[in-house]
Every structure is written in C-alpha cells, then in structure tokens.
Amino acid sequence: MLVYEIIRKKLDGERNTHEEIRHLVTGFVRGEVAPEQMAAWLAAVYIRGLSDEETWWLTEVMAKSGRMMDLSAIDGIKVDKHSTGGVGDKVSIIVVPLVASAGVPVAKLTGRALGHTGGTADKLESIPGMRLNLSEEEFISQVKHIGCAIAVATEDIAPADKKIYSLRDKTATIASLPLIVSSILSKKLAGGADAFVFDVKFGDGAFMRRLEDARALAESLVRTAKLAGKKAVAVLSSMEQPLGHAIGNAVEIAEAIEVLKGGGPEDVRELCITISALMLWLGGVVTNTDEGRSKAMELLNSGAALEKFRQLIAAQGGDPSIVDDSLRLPQPLHKVEVISDRAGTIARIATKQLGLVAGQLGAGRMGAAEVDPTAGIVVLKKVGDHVNFGEVLAILQSSKPIDGEIVAKVKASFAFGESGEKPPILAGFVQ
Ligand code: URA
C-alpha cells in the first residue's frame, strides 16, 4: 500500500479506508512512515476533515498502538469521566470517590498539568505520601478492593497519540476536530472503561473558547465512543471563570474536601452532582439522572463520599488525616493579597491568564522547576460579585517570594462593569 496514495486521497477530499489508516498510523509509530508524510496527511485532515467512520478507525488504531487496560476482573460497569481541561477543575477528585461510594467502580487514569490547565495527578500528589504511579496490578486490585483508584497514565498508553500530538504541535494542526477526538478518545479507550462522561469546557479558560466549538467536540466524542461500542454522554460546562475559588494543587484538594463534606462553592458542587448523576446512571445503579442527582447529594451529605476519599488516599500511601485537618496539607511560605483599587461589579475574569499565573507561581509545569504543591490562587470575587474599594480580590500563594508584576497581572484579570449576571456553570448536554 502506497503511503503517497493515502495522502493524495485525503488531500483531494476522498475518504481513506480502514486499512489505509491502519497502515499509515502503525507505520508512523514503527518509524516506517516518514514524519513529513504523516505531517502532510495531518494537514490534509485539518483541511478536509474525517468522516465519523474514519475518525473511529483512527481512534481505534491509536488506542491499540500501546497497552489496552483489561478491567474485566473488576465486577460491574466501569465508568470513567474526562475533562477537556480547565482552571480550578477539581471535579475528578470529588466524583471518583463519590461515584465509587455508590458501588460503581471507577478506574481512573489521569494526567499532569498542561499549559494553563492543572492536572489531577499533580493536585493529588500534594497530599503527603500519595502515590499516583501505580502498576496495572496495583491499580486493578485497588479498584476491586475499595471501588476506585486514580493513577497517572503511563508512557505505553496510546503511544501513537504522543508521536502524532508532537507532530501536530509543530505543524499547526492541533485545532482539528477529528484529530482532537481521536487523541482524547484513544487514551480513554486504552484505559478500558465501559462508559464515559465527557466534561467539555468552553470559554476563556478552556481549550475550546466558543460554545459552538465545544458542542461540536462533545457531539463527535459521544458519536465516536458509541461507534466503539461504549455508552457515552457529555456535559458542556463554563470556563468563563475559574471553577470554585481555588486554583493550584493543595488549595484545590482543600476545596474538594469542602465539597465532599457537603459544602464548598456552588458551581463546583453543581457540576460534580451533575457529572456524578450521569456516571451513576451509566453505571446502572439509578434508573434516571434525577435519581442520580438525589443519590449524589445524599452521598455528599451523609459523609459516604468523604469516607471513600479517605480510603482512596490511604490505599495509595497518602495521609488520610488531611481530610479532617486541611492544614496538614503543604502550606505556602508566601501569601500576598490582591487588593481592589476600585468599587464595582465583576463582569469578567481572564481565566486563562489566572491559570498561567498559577503556573508561574509554581503550580504548573511550564518551567524547569518542580511542581510546588503550595502554589496557587484563591479567587475570592467571582463574576457578578460586588467589590468595595480596598477589598481582597484574590490571594496568591507560593513557596517562593511573589513579585509585584504577578500581583498586577492578577489585578488586571478582573474586569469591572456596572452590573454582572452570575453565569450558569452548565450550558447543555449531549447524548
Ligand atoms: N487534549 C488531548 O488529549 N488531545 C488533543 O488533541 C487536544 C486536547
């Protein structure tokens, strides 16, 4: 089969066959197809697109390019969730134990901070002793034992995605819908779950800034997952402002614990209840999502979800006493308040900018330095809140001194208006 011909067909707007896509991708992973040939095909896909079937074939071959987790030893319907990435997104830390406490097994592979977005693995590693690099045996045995586990995805999960993503990054072909779908879903399929809830974010702090682009991504993720024989639904959630108040690592764990105790910020609680309800429904323990919502609230209010989180931490070597006293989490050496020099109502928050600042303070992976578990931002004023002159907008924290330039950047991230509506966290569902 001629790679030249596979590329030519896509450039001319024709469809590729299953066999052609398999030949191209496996050849590229083995080093038999030249990067310039793969780059030409990716550019052709960027311009011409892929049909649903082609997207599924690409996803499948990418998933099978590495280890496929076999979760069949775990009883029940295994449900996973995936977020397209955001600022202050601590949803997995809450919903994994919550859903597991209802008897739905959750085997969650997760990632680290990327760009302006945080990573669940980095957040959980701020818990003293907590281990995220579990072997496949440890991972499966823990889910069998306590109903959930969260581990960092190893290099052998969908290695084709790593090679293709790196080429897309160099050739300006990241923003192609079928390439994004195959990238996300190949890793999820390799994780071995039976059903998925996708949290597709839109807005300033999201990968997809426009709601209509996020909806197209959600629809394609759900359609392709169904072609793979999986149950799948998606929620569209706002990243027009940070989720909750905390952005960072240990600060986000502390906020997640508040939600697991039945409190916490309303937007985080609402999104977690919605996603949990869908996971409980897909997992077959409730017959509809209204019942799922009631069940999720009951598990938060009764302390069952919190108890499961305690078990999850202990099983992975962490100190579960942080649940009772969040001051046992690493504490910052430096804290600086960002003070408002005007009165008014917050109209917008430059969310991506706050994510980048949290990274600069040490919470992310943008520099050569190690991730600082104490670094982050506590956003005290959100969109629609009234602010008086001299009130605190946000608190910055880090293990290193915080300079005035960073404080100015955060202050400039809050835009004032005459009045501001409190924006809803959810903008729709796709199933
Ligand atoms: N996230 C991914 O995992 N892959 C993409 O291509 C884009 C976002």
PDB file of all heavy atoms in Angstrom, residues 29 62-69 109-112 132-136 151-166 186-187 190 365:
ATOM      1  N   VAL A  29       4.241   4.943  13.716  1.00  0.00           N
ATOM      2  CA  VAL A  29       4.699   4.591  15.074  1.00  0.00           C
ATOM      3  C   VAL A  29       5.974   3.747  14.998  1.00  0.00           C
ATOM      4  O   VAL A  29       6.906   3.927  15.784  1.00  0.00           O
ATOM      5  CB  VAL A  29       3.573   3.861  15.861  1.00  0.00           C
ATOM      6  CG1 VAL A  29       4.088   3.334  17.192  1.00  0.00           C
ATOM      7  CG2 VAL A  29       2.399   4.801  16.094  1.00  0.00           C
ATOM      8  N   MET A  62      -4.999   4.155  17.072  1.00  0.00           N
ATOM      9  CA  MET A  62      -4.169   4.877  18.063  1.00  0.00           C
ATOM     10  C   MET A  62      -4.284   4.216  19.441  1.00  0.00           C
ATOM     11  O   MET A  62      -3.287   4.049  20.150  1.00  0.00           O
ATOM     12  CB  MET A  62      -4.592   6.348  18.140  1.00  0.00           C
ATOM     13  CG  MET A  62      -4.107   7.156  16.941  1.00  0.00           C
ATOM     14  SD  MET A  62      -4.891   8.769  16.827  1.00  0.00           S
ATOM     15  CE  MET A  62      -4.206   9.594  18.243  1.00  0.00           C
ATOM     16  N   ALA A  63      -5.503   3.830  19.827  1.00  0.00           N
ATOM     17  CA  ALA A  63      -5.699   3.175  21.136  1.00  0.00           C
ATOM     18  C   ALA A  63      -4.898   1.880  21.197  1.00  0.00           C
ATOM     19  O   ALA A  63      -4.220   1.581  22.186  1.00  0.00           O
ATOM     20  CB  ALA A  63      -7.177   2.906  21.370  1.00  0.00           C
ATOM     21  N   LYS A  64      -4.936   1.123  20.089  1.00  0.00           N
ATOM     22  CA  LYS A  64      -4.281  -0.192  20.078  1.00  0.00           C
ATOM     23  C   LYS A  64      -2.781  -0.116  19.816  1.00  0.00           C
ATOM     24  O   LYS A  64      -2.125  -1.142  19.690  1.00  0.00           O
ATOM     25  CB  LYS A  64      -4.960  -1.078  19.035  1.00  0.00           C
ATOM     26  CG  LYS A  64      -6.364  -1.500  19.472  1.00  0.00           C
ATOM     27  CD  LYS A  64      -6.986  -2.457  18.498  1.00  0.00           C
ATOM     28  CE  LYS A  64      -8.335  -2.945  19.032  1.00  0.00           C
ATOM     29  NZ  LYS A  64      -9.129  -3.589  17.984  1.00  0.00           N
ATOM     30  N   SER A  65      -2.250   1.110  19.696  1.00  0.00           N
ATOM     31  CA  SER A  65      -0.805   1.237  19.450  1.00  0.00           C
ATOM     32  C   SER A  65       0.004   0.929  20.714  1.00  0.00           C
ATOM     33  O   SER A  65       1.224   0.826  20.669  1.00  0.00           O
ATOM     34  CB  SER A  65      -0.476   2.655  18.960  1.00  0.00           C
ATOM     35  OG  SER A  65      -0.721   3.594  19.997  1.00  0.00           O
ATOM     36  N   GLY A  66      -0.662   0.798  21.849  1.00  0.00           N
ATOM     37  CA  GLY A  66       0.042   0.508  23.107  1.00  0.00           C
ATOM     38  C   GLY A  66      -0.761  -0.461  23.949  1.00  0.00           C
ATOM     39  O   GLY A  66      -1.573  -1.227  23.430  1.00  0.00           O
ATOM     40  N   ARG A  67      -0.544  -0.373  25.259  1.00  0.00           N
ATOM     41  CA  ARG A  67      -1.219  -1.278  26.193  1.00  0.00           C
ATOM     42  C   ARG A  67      -2.701  -0.927  26.296  1.00  0.00           C
ATOM     43  O   ARG A  67      -3.057   0.242  26.439  1.00  0.00           O
ATOM     44  CB  ARG A  67      -0.568  -1.125  27.568  1.00  0.00           C
ATOM     45  CG  ARG A  67      -1.072  -2.074  28.619  1.00  0.00           C
ATOM     46  CD  ARG A  67      -0.035  -2.203  29.704  1.00  0.00           C
ATOM     47  NE  ARG A  67       0.288  -0.915  30.307  1.00  0.00           N
ATOM     48  CZ  ARG A  67      -0.165  -0.504  31.484  1.00  0.00           C
ATOM     49  NH1 ARG A  67      -0.966  -1.272  32.183  1.00  0.00           N
ATOM     50  NH2 ARG A  67       0.193   0.658  31.987  1.00  0.00           N
ATOM     51  N   MET A  68      -3.558  -1.948  26.195  1.00  0.00           N
ATOM     52  CA  MET A  68      -5.001  -1.740  26.408  1.00  0.00           C
ATOM     53  C   MET A  68      -5.288  -2.324  27.780  1.00  0.00           C
ATOM     54  O   MET A  68      -5.086  -3.520  28.006  1.00  0.00           O
ATOM     55  CB  MET A  68      -5.825  -2.488  25.357  1.00  0.00           C
ATOM     56  CG  MET A  68      -5.610  -2.033  23.924  1.00  0.00           C
ATOM     57  SD  MET A  68      -6.348  -0.425  23.586  1.00  0.00           S
ATOM     58  CE  MET A  68      -8.088  -0.810  23.419  1.00  0.00           C
ATOM     59  N   MET A  69      -5.750  -1.498  28.711  1.00  0.00           N
ATOM     60  CA  MET A  69      -6.030  -1.997  30.054  1.00  0.00           C
ATOM     61  C   MET A  69      -7.204  -2.982  29.992  1.00  0.00           C
ATOM     62  O   MET A  69      -8.207  -2.697  29.331  1.00  0.00           O
ATOM     63  CB  MET A  69      -6.418  -0.855  30.982  1.00  0.00           C
ATOM     64  CG  MET A  69      -5.385   0.226  31.089  1.00  0.00           C
ATOM     65  SD  MET A  69      -4.158  -0.147  32.326  1.00  0.00           S
ATOM     66  CE  MET A  69      -5.087   0.213  33.768  1.00  0.00           C
ATOM     67  N   LEU A 109      -7.481   6.816  34.930  1.00  0.00           N
ATOM     68  CA  LEU A 109      -6.123   7.226  34.533  1.00  0.00           C
ATOM     69  C   LEU A 109      -6.179   8.732  34.323  1.00  0.00           C
ATOM     70  O   LEU A 109      -7.132   9.241  33.742  1.00  0.00           O
ATOM     71  CB  LEU A 109      -5.706   6.544  33.236  1.00  0.00           C
ATOM     72  CG  LEU A 109      -5.489   5.035  33.308  1.00  0.00           C
ATOM     73  CD1 LEU A 109      -5.078   4.488  31.947  1.00  0.00           C
ATOM     74  CD2 LEU A 109      -4.436   4.674  34.358  1.00  0.00           C
ATOM     75  N   THR A 110      -5.172   9.419  34.795  1.00  0.00           N
ATOM     76  CA  THR A 110      -5.243  10.877  34.737  1.00  0.00           C
ATOM     77  C   THR A 110      -3.912  11.482  34.308  1.00  0.00           C
ATOM     78  O   THR A 110      -2.911  10.780  34.192  1.00  0.00           O
ATOM     79  CB  THR A 110      -5.724  11.417  36.103  1.00  0.00           C
ATOM     80  OG1 THR A 110      -6.093  12.775  35.940  1.00  0.00           O
ATOM     81  CG2 THR A 110      -4.664  11.297  37.176  1.00  0.00           C
ATOM     82  N   GLY A 111      -3.942  12.807  34.077  1.00  0.00           N
ATOM     83  CA  GLY A 111      -2.745  13.465  33.555  1.00  0.00           C
ATOM     84  C   GLY A 111      -2.199  14.524  34.486  1.00  0.00           C
ATOM     85  O   GLY A 111      -2.722  14.750  35.577  1.00  0.00           O
ATOM     86  N   ARG A 112      -1.138  15.162  34.001  1.00  0.00           N
ATOM     87  CA  ARG A 112      -0.487  16.225  34.777  1.00  0.00           C
ATOM     88  C   ARG A 112      -0.822  17.575  34.154  1.00  0.00           C
ATOM     89  O   ARG A 112      -1.437  17.637  33.089  1.00  0.00           O
ATOM     90  CB  ARG A 112       1.013  15.983  34.790  1.00  0.00           C
ATOM     91  CG  ARG A 112       1.363  14.642  35.431  1.00  0.00           C
ATOM     92  CD  ARG A 112       2.807  14.588  35.861  1.00  0.00           C
ATOM     93  NE  ARG A 112       3.080  13.331  36.556  1.00  0.00           N
ATOM     94  CZ  ARG A 112       2.862  13.121  37.834  1.00  0.00           C
ATOM     95  NH1 ARG A 112       2.363  14.079  38.602  1.00  0.00           N
ATOM     96  NH2 ARG A 112       3.145  11.955  38.387  1.00  0.00           N
ATOM     97  N   LEU A 132       0.816   8.187  42.738  1.00  0.00           N
ATOM     98  CA  LEU A 132      -0.055   8.114  41.555  1.00  0.00           C
ATOM     99  C   LEU A 132       0.493   7.153  40.507  1.00  0.00           C
ATOM    100  O   LEU A 132      -0.191   6.825  39.554  1.00  0.00           O
ATOM    101  CB  LEU A 132      -0.189   9.512  40.931  1.00  0.00           C
ATOM    102  CG  LEU A 132      -1.301  10.438  41.425  1.00  0.00           C
ATOM    103  CD1 LEU A 132      -2.650   9.999  40.902  1.00  0.00           C
ATOM    104  CD2 LEU A 132      -1.355  10.564  42.923  1.00  0.00           C
ATOM    105  N   ASN A 133       1.758   6.724  40.683  1.00  0.00           N
ATOM    106  CA  ASN A 133       2.355   5.813  39.690  1.00  0.00           C
ATOM    107  C   ASN A 133       2.134   4.359  40.125  1.00  0.00           C
ATOM    108  O   ASN A 133       3.048   3.695  40.612  1.00  0.00           O
ATOM    109  CB  ASN A 133       3.842   6.130  39.454  1.00  0.00           C
ATOM    110  CG  ASN A 133       4.624   6.104  40.738  1.00  0.00           C
ATOM    111  OD1 ASN A 133       4.034   6.175  41.820  1.00  0.00           O
ATOM    112  ND2 ASN A 133       5.941   5.976  40.650  1.00  0.00           N
ATOM    113  N   LEU A 134       0.900   3.896  39.936  1.00  0.00           N
ATOM    114  CA  LEU A 134       0.552   2.529  40.326  1.00  0.00           C
ATOM    115  C   LEU A 134       0.842   1.588  39.151  1.00  0.00           C
ATOM    116  O   LEU A 134       0.679   1.978  37.996  1.00  0.00           O
ATOM    117  CB  LEU A 134      -0.938   2.445  40.663  1.00  0.00           C
ATOM    118  CG  LEU A 134      -1.491   3.429  41.699  1.00  0.00           C
ATOM    119  CD1 LEU A 134      -2.972   3.200  41.910  1.00  0.00           C
ATOM    120  CD2 LEU A 134      -0.746   3.294  43.023  1.00  0.00           C
ATOM    121  N   SER A 135       1.218   0.343  39.465  1.00  0.00           N
ATOM    122  CA  SER A 135       1.347  -0.653  38.399  1.00  0.00           C
ATOM    123  C   SER A 135      -0.070  -1.081  38.003  1.00  0.00           C
ATOM    124  O   SER A 135      -1.025  -0.840  38.757  1.00  0.00           O
ATOM    125  CB  SER A 135       2.137  -1.864  38.892  1.00  0.00           C
ATOM    126  OG  SER A 135       1.350  -2.556  39.852  1.00  0.00           O
ATOM    127  N   GLU A 136      -0.196  -1.745  36.849  1.00  0.00           N
ATOM    128  CA  GLU A 136      -1.531  -2.169  36.400  1.00  0.00           C
ATOM    129  C   GLU A 136      -2.158  -3.102  37.442  1.00  0.00           C
ATOM    130  O   GLU A 136      -3.351  -3.009  37.734  1.00  0.00           O
ATOM    131  CB  GLU A 136      -1.418  -2.861  35.032  1.00  0.00           C
ATOM    132  CG  GLU A 136      -2.773  -3.228  34.475  1.00  0.00           C
ATOM    133  CD  GLU A 136      -2.757  -3.658  33.005  1.00  0.00           C
ATOM    134  OE1 GLU A 136      -1.730  -3.452  32.335  1.00  0.00           O
ATOM    135  OE2 GLU A 136      -3.776  -4.208  32.549  1.00  0.00           O
ATOM    136  N   ALA A 151      -4.652   6.779  38.878  1.00  0.00           N
ATOM    137  CA  ALA A 151      -3.221   6.610  38.589  1.00  0.00           C
ATOM    138  C   ALA A 151      -2.848   7.446  37.380  1.00  0.00           C
ATOM    139  O   ALA A 151      -3.698   7.746  36.530  1.00  0.00           O
ATOM    140  CB  ALA A 151      -2.919   5.145  38.309  1.00  0.00           C
ATOM    141  N   VAL A 152      -1.578   7.791  37.306  1.00  0.00           N
ATOM    142  CA  VAL A 152      -1.107   8.571  36.174  1.00  0.00           C
ATOM    143  C   VAL A 152      -0.932   7.630  34.984  1.00  0.00           C
ATOM    144  O   VAL A 152      -0.487   6.490  35.144  1.00  0.00           O
ATOM    145  CB  VAL A 152       0.171   9.350  36.569  1.00  0.00           C
ATOM    146  CG1 VAL A 152       1.406   8.490  36.553  1.00  0.00           C
ATOM    147  CG2 VAL A 152       0.355  10.578  35.736  1.00  0.00           C
ATOM    148  N   ALA A 153      -1.387   8.088  33.807  1.00  0.00           N
ATOM    149  CA  ALA A 153      -1.292   7.249  32.604  1.00  0.00           C
ATOM    150  C   ALA A 153       0.179   7.060  32.233  1.00  0.00           C
ATOM    151  O   ALA A 153       0.939   8.021  32.172  1.00  0.00           O
ATOM    152  CB  ALA A 153      -2.048   7.903  31.461  1.00  0.00           C
ATOM    153  N   THR A 154       0.568   5.806  32.023  1.00  0.00           N
ATOM    154  CA  THR A 154       1.978   5.522  31.713  1.00  0.00           C
ATOM    155  C   THR A 154       2.263   5.770  30.227  1.00  0.00           C
ATOM    156  O   THR A 154       1.351   5.930  29.420  1.00  0.00           O
ATOM    157  CB  THR A 154       2.316   4.070  32.077  1.00  0.00           C
ATOM    158  OG1 THR A 154       1.268   3.244  31.584  1.00  0.00           O
ATOM    159  CG2 THR A 154       2.440   3.884  33.576  1.00  0.00           C
ATOM    160  N   GLU A 155       3.562   5.774  29.890  1.00  0.00           N
ATOM    161  CA  GLU A 155       4.020   6.064  28.521  1.00  0.00           C
ATOM    162  C   GLU A 155       3.447   5.094  27.493  1.00  0.00           C
ATOM    163  O   GLU A 155       3.334   5.421  26.316  1.00  0.00           O
ATOM    164  CB  GLU A 155       5.557   5.980  28.467  1.00  0.00           C
ATOM    165  CG  GLU A 155       6.258   7.130  29.167  1.00  0.00           C
ATOM    166  CD  GLU A 155       6.004   8.461  28.475  1.00  0.00           C
ATOM    167  OE1 GLU A 155       6.216   8.538  27.254  1.00  0.00           O
ATOM    168  OE2 GLU A 155       5.579   9.411  29.168  1.00  0.00           O
ATOM    169  N   ASP A 156       3.117   3.860  27.949  1.00  0.00           N
ATOM    170  CA  ASP A 156       2.664   2.861  26.973  1.00  0.00           C
ATOM    171  C   ASP A 156       1.160   2.923  26.700  1.00  0.00           C
ATOM    172  O   ASP A 156       0.612   2.067  26.030  1.00  0.00           O
ATOM    173  CB  ASP A 156       3.088   1.446  27.403  1.00  0.00           C
ATOM    174  CG  ASP A 156       2.650   1.112  28.816  1.00  0.00           C
ATOM    175  OD1 ASP A 156       2.032   1.972  29.470  1.00  0.00           O
ATOM    176  OD2 ASP A 156       2.911  -0.018  29.262  1.00  0.00           O
ATOM    177  N   ILE A 157       0.469   3.934  27.253  1.00  0.00           N
ATOM    178  CA  ILE A 157      -0.947   4.136  26.907  1.00  0.00           C
ATOM    179  C   ILE A 157      -0.993   5.015  25.649  1.00  0.00           C
ATOM    180  O   ILE A 157      -0.505   6.149  25.655  1.00  0.00           O
ATOM    181  CB  ILE A 157      -1.715   4.802  28.091  1.00  0.00           C
ATOM    182  CG1 ILE A 157      -1.818   3.856  29.293  1.00  0.00           C
ATOM    183  CG2 ILE A 157      -3.097   5.297  27.664  1.00  0.00           C
ATOM    184  CD1 ILE A 157      -2.716   2.651  29.132  1.00  0.00           C
ATOM    185  N   ALA A 158      -1.543   4.479  24.583  1.00  0.00           N
ATOM    186  CA  ALA A 158      -1.696   5.177  23.294  1.00  0.00           C
ATOM    187  C   ALA A 158      -0.423   5.926  22.860  1.00  0.00           C
ATOM    188  O   ALA A 158      -0.458   7.145  22.658  1.00  0.00           O
ATOM    189  CB  ALA A 158      -2.902   6.122  23.338  1.00  0.00           C
ATOM    190  N   PRO A 159       0.694   5.215  22.694  1.00  0.00           N
ATOM    191  CA  PRO A 159       1.923   5.917  22.280  1.00  0.00           C
ATOM    192  C   PRO A 159       1.788   6.621  20.926  1.00  0.00           C
ATOM    193  O   PRO A 159       2.464   7.625  20.686  1.00  0.00           O
ATOM    194  CB  PRO A 159       2.989   4.807  22.228  1.00  0.00           C
ATOM    195  CG  PRO A 159       2.238   3.528  22.188  1.00  0.00           C
ATOM    196  CD  PRO A 159       0.933   3.770  22.882  1.00  0.00           C
ATOM    197  N   ALA A 160       0.893   6.140  20.060  1.00  0.00           N
ATOM    198  CA  ALA A 160       0.696   6.811  18.765  1.00  0.00           C
ATOM    199  C   ALA A 160       0.234   8.244  18.991  1.00  0.00           C
ATOM    200  O   ALA A 160       0.613   9.153  18.249  1.00  0.00           O
ATOM    201  CB  ALA A 160      -0.334   6.058  17.929  1.00  0.00           C
ATOM    202  N   ASP A 161      -0.583   8.455  20.025  1.00  0.00           N
ATOM    203  CA  ASP A 161      -1.066   9.814  20.291  1.00  0.00           C
ATOM    204  C   ASP A 161       0.096  10.741  20.633  1.00  0.00           C
ATOM    205  O   ASP A 161       0.147  11.872  20.175  1.00  0.00           O
ATOM    206  CB  ASP A 161      -2.108   9.820  21.422  1.00  0.00           C
ATOM    207  CG  ASP A 161      -2.515  11.249  21.758  1.00  0.00           C
ATOM    208  OD1 ASP A 161      -3.000  11.935  20.853  1.00  0.00           O
ATOM    209  OD2 ASP A 161      -2.308  11.688  22.906  1.00  0.00           O
ATOM    210  N   LYS A 162       1.045  10.238  21.434  1.00  0.00           N
ATOM    211  CA  LYS A 162       2.167  11.098  21.830  1.00  0.00           C
ATOM    212  C   LYS A 162       2.960  11.539  20.597  1.00  0.00           C
ATOM    213  O   LYS A 162       3.317  12.697  20.430  1.00  0.00           O
ATOM    214  CB  LYS A 162       3.075  10.371  22.820  1.00  0.00           C
ATOM    215  CG  LYS A 162       2.386  10.232  24.160  1.00  0.00           C
ATOM    216  CD  LYS A 162       3.200   9.533  25.209  1.00  0.00           C
ATOM    217  CE  LYS A 162       2.335   9.235  26.421  1.00  0.00           C
ATOM    218  NZ  LYS A 162       1.361   8.142  26.226  1.00  0.00           N
ATOM    219  N   LYS A 163       3.217  10.568  19.687  1.00  0.00           N
ATOM    220  CA  LYS A 163       4.003  10.886  18.477  1.00  0.00           C
ATOM    221  C   LYS A 163       3.223  11.816  17.549  1.00  0.00           C
ATOM    222  O   LYS A 163       3.780  12.761  16.996  1.00  0.00           O
ATOM    223  CB  LYS A 163       4.313   9.583  17.715  1.00  0.00           C
ATOM    224  CG  LYS A 163       5.611   8.926  18.147  1.00  0.00           C
ATOM    225  CD  LYS A 163       6.082   7.890  17.143  1.00  0.00           C
ATOM    226  CE  LYS A 163       7.123   8.463  16.181  1.00  0.00           C
ATOM    227  NZ  LYS A 163       7.755   7.440  15.356  1.00  0.00           N
ATOM    228  N   ILE A 164       1.938  11.520  17.397  1.00  0.00           N
ATOM    229  CA  ILE A 164       1.132  12.341  16.470  1.00  0.00           C
ATOM    230  C   ILE A 164       0.918  13.737  17.060  1.00  0.00           C
ATOM    231  O   ILE A 164       1.015  14.740  16.359  1.00  0.00           O
ATOM    232  CB  ILE A 164      -0.215  11.638  16.147  1.00  0.00           C
ATOM    233  CG1 ILE A 164       0.049  10.365  15.337  1.00  0.00           C
ATOM    234  CG2 ILE A 164      -1.153  12.573  15.395  1.00  0.00           C
ATOM    235  CD1 ILE A 164      -1.175   9.497  15.081  1.00  0.00           C
ATOM    236  N   TYR A 165       0.665  13.803  18.387  1.00  0.00           N
ATOM    237  CA  TYR A 165       0.422  15.106  19.026  1.00  0.00           C
ATOM    238  C   TYR A 165       1.645  16.011  18.864  1.00  0.00           C
ATOM    239  O   TYR A 165       1.520  17.200  18.558  1.00  0.00           O
ATOM    240  CB  TYR A 165       0.067  14.934  20.504  1.00  0.00           C
ATOM    241  CG  TYR A 165      -0.513  16.196  21.096  1.00  0.00           C
ATOM    242  CD1 TYR A 165      -1.895  16.418  21.115  1.00  0.00           C
ATOM    243  CD2 TYR A 165       0.315  17.208  21.593  1.00  0.00           C
ATOM    244  CE1 TYR A 165      -2.430  17.585  21.620  1.00  0.00           C
ATOM    245  CE2 TYR A 165      -0.217  18.381  22.096  1.00  0.00           C
ATOM    246  CZ  TYR A 165      -1.586  18.563  22.120  1.00  0.00           C
ATOM    247  OH  TYR A 165      -2.113  19.731  22.606  1.00  0.00           O
ATOM    248  N   SER A 166       2.819  15.414  19.034  1.00  0.00           N
ATOM    249  CA  SER A 166       4.034  16.209  18.933  1.00  0.00           C
ATOM    250  C   SER A 166       4.194  16.768  17.511  1.00  0.00           C
ATOM    251  O   SER A 166       4.593  17.925  17.318  1.00  0.00           O
ATOM    252  CB  SER A 166       5.198  15.335  19.390  1.00  0.00           C
ATOM    253  OG  SER A 166       6.336  15.615  18.707  1.00  0.00           O
ATOM    254  N   SER A 186      -8.658   7.897  22.139  1.00  0.00           N
ATOM    255  CA  SER A 186      -7.741   6.744  22.075  1.00  0.00           C
ATOM    256  C   SER A 186      -7.185   6.458  23.477  1.00  0.00           C
ATOM    257  O   SER A 186      -7.091   5.301  23.898  1.00  0.00           O
ATOM    258  CB  SER A 186      -6.602   6.999  21.080  1.00  0.00           C
ATOM    259  OG  SER A 186      -5.860   8.139  21.449  1.00  0.00           O
ATOM    260  N   LYS A 187      -6.870   7.517  24.222  1.00  0.00           N
ATOM    261  CA  LYS A 187      -6.324   7.329  25.584  1.00  0.00           C
ATOM    262  C   LYS A 187      -7.403   6.784  26.513  1.00  0.00           C
ATOM    263  O   LYS A 187      -7.146   5.937  27.364  1.00  0.00           O
ATOM    264  CB  LYS A 187      -5.773   8.663  26.107  1.00  0.00           C
ATOM    265  CG  LYS A 187      -4.510   9.102  25.382  1.00  0.00           C
ATOM    266  CD  LYS A 187      -4.063  10.502  25.756  1.00  0.00           C
ATOM    267  CE  LYS A 187      -4.840  11.564  25.071  1.00  0.00           C
ATOM    268  NZ  LYS A 187      -4.311  12.898  25.015  1.00  0.00           N
ATOM    269  N   ALA A 190      -8.037   3.083  25.735  1.00  0.00           N
ATOM    270  CA  ALA A 190      -6.941   2.254  26.241  1.00  0.00           C
ATOM    271  C   ALA A 190      -7.075   2.056  27.753  1.00  0.00           C
ATOM    272  O   ALA A 190      -6.594   1.069  28.308  1.00  0.00           O
ATOM    273  CB  ALA A 190      -5.596   2.892  25.897  1.00  0.00           C
ATOM    274  N   ARG A 365       3.577  23.203  35.131  1.00  0.00           N
ATOM    275  CA  ARG A 365       4.771  22.521  34.628  1.00  0.00           C
ATOM    276  C   ARG A 365       5.375  23.299  33.466  1.00  0.00           C
ATOM    277  O   ARG A 365       5.849  22.711  32.508  1.00  0.00           O
ATOM    278  CB  ARG A 365       4.396  21.111  34.159  1.00  0.00           C
ATOM    279  CG  ARG A 365       3.979  20.240  35.306  1.00  0.00           C
ATOM    280  CD  ARG A 365       3.671  18.831  34.907  1.00  0.00           C
ATOM    281  NE  ARG A 365       3.629  18.047  36.121  1.00  0.00           N
ATOM    282  CZ  ARG A 365       4.654  17.371  36.603  1.00  0.00           C
ATOM    283  NH1 ARG A 365       5.799  17.340  35.958  1.00  0.00           N
ATOM    284  NH2 ARG A 365       4.538  16.706  37.743  1.00  0.00           N
TER     285      ARG A 365
END
